[in-house]
Amino acid sequence: MNRDNNSVWVRSVLRNGAASRGHTKLRLRFEVLLCVLFGISNLWADQPKPNEYQVEAVYLLNFAKFVEWPATALPPESTFNICVLGQYPFGAALERTIAGESIDGHKVLVQRISRPQDATGCRILFISLSEETRLPEILKILYKSSVLTVSNVPKFSQQGGMIQFVMEANKVRFEVNLSSAERAGLTLSSELLKVATSVTRNGQIGN
């Protein structure tokens, strides 16, 4: 399996998990997340290692499976939109990862937006590094909106972002600001919190 097929493999496992029920379904999905967290390159020994954004693309889909949104955020017949604000860093990785996926019956789509005001229809918003200088403004605009904010901008979680990607030992990890998520009405699974490198309660926005 080459690195272009990483997301295909993950989607296959997730579909197998979706076919089972209860604890088994959650366990299979959680095992996929653990594989990503602790280095999916270990699964292929002599195969090329996936790059940072390929791994982050898989994370974004998995976050959707471990977060609960208010019912009003996902009305019937709506799509589950994973949005990217600013410069798009994923290449084809994110579209390949979400192809054919659904969250609780809502088809998953990728949207690229240029203004935080356009994020009202997003359930997950990845804020690109290109937006670092205007991050305080972005987070204030999104304050209390039912959007899971994710970024690899340095100190993102300290400034009020919800999930920040960080690199540790050349692997992608993530930090969680639980206060920001709860303020937006989002419920993060305890299984997700267990594998975060840190879980903080920083109520400040844009500092």
Side-chain angles (χ1 to χ4, degrees):
M1 181 181 297
N2 60 38
R3 59 184 176 181
D4 288 335
N5 290 327
N6 291 344
S7 58
V8 175
W9 175 84
V10 172
R11 292 201 309 274
S12 175
V13 176
L14 287 173
R15 289 193 182 102
N16 290 338
S20 53
R21 296 180 179 179
H23 177 72
T24 301
K25 180 179 179 181
L26 178 61
R27 178 177 57 80
L28 287 172
R29 287 177 171 174
F30 184 48
E31 285 174 355
V32 172
L33 186 60
L34 285 177
C35 287
V36 176
L37 180 63
F38 292 110
I40 58 178
S41 60
N42 294 335
L43 298 174
W44 301 294
D46 57 350
Q47 295 299 322
K49 179 180 178 180
N51 66 41
E52 175 183 350
Y53 285 107
Q54 287 175 315
V55 175
E56 290 178 4
V58 178
Y59 265 127
L60 291 176
L61 176 62
N62 277 280
F63 289 154
K65 300 174 186 296
F66 288 89
V67 176
E68 182 178 346
W69 278 261
T72 54
L74 283 169
E77 308 303 324
S78 65
T79 55
F80 188 100
N81 299 324
I82 298 177
C83 302
V84 178
L85 174 63
Q87 187 176 24
Y88 192 81
F90 295 102
L94 185 53
E95 283 86 352
R96 289 178 180 176
T97 298
I98 65 95
E101 292 292 337
S102 63
I103 303 296
D104 294 331
H106 301 271
K107 183 179 179 180
V108 182
L109 297 177
V110 174
Q111 290 188 352
R112 306 182 192 188
I113 62 176
S114 58
R115 305 184 309 152
Q117 292 89 344
D118 298 330
T120 54
C122 305
R123 299 285 62 85
I124 296 177
L125 176 65
F126 179 86
I127 302 172
S128 175
L129 277 169
S130 66
E131 308 307 295
E132 182 174 5
T133 58
R134 62 179 187 138
L135 183 60
E137 172 194 352
I138 292 169
L139 293 177
K140 287 177 182 178
I141 290 172
L142 296 173
Y143 185 73
K144 289 188 177 181
S145 62
S146 298
V147 180
L148 182 74
T149 56
V150 184
S151 184
N152 53 8
V153 170
K155 298 184 178 180
F156 179 71
S157 61
Q158 297 175 37
Q159 297 183 68
M162 298 177 193
I163 297 181
Q164 177 186 339
F165 289 128
V166 294
M167 295 297 294
E168 290 189 2
N170 295 317
K171 294 183 176 66
V172 180
R173 307 284 201 259
F174 63 92
E175 302 172 348
V176 173
N177 184 330
L178 194 55
S179 291
S180 294
E182 291 175 344
R183 182 169 49 243
L186 307 183
T187 302
L188 275 60
S189 164
S190 60
E191 300 298 331
L192 181 65
L193 299 179
K194 284 177 185 177
V195 293
T197 59
S198 68
V199 178
T200 61
R201 288 185 174 274
N202 180 358
Q204 297 180 331
I205 293 292
N207 294 321

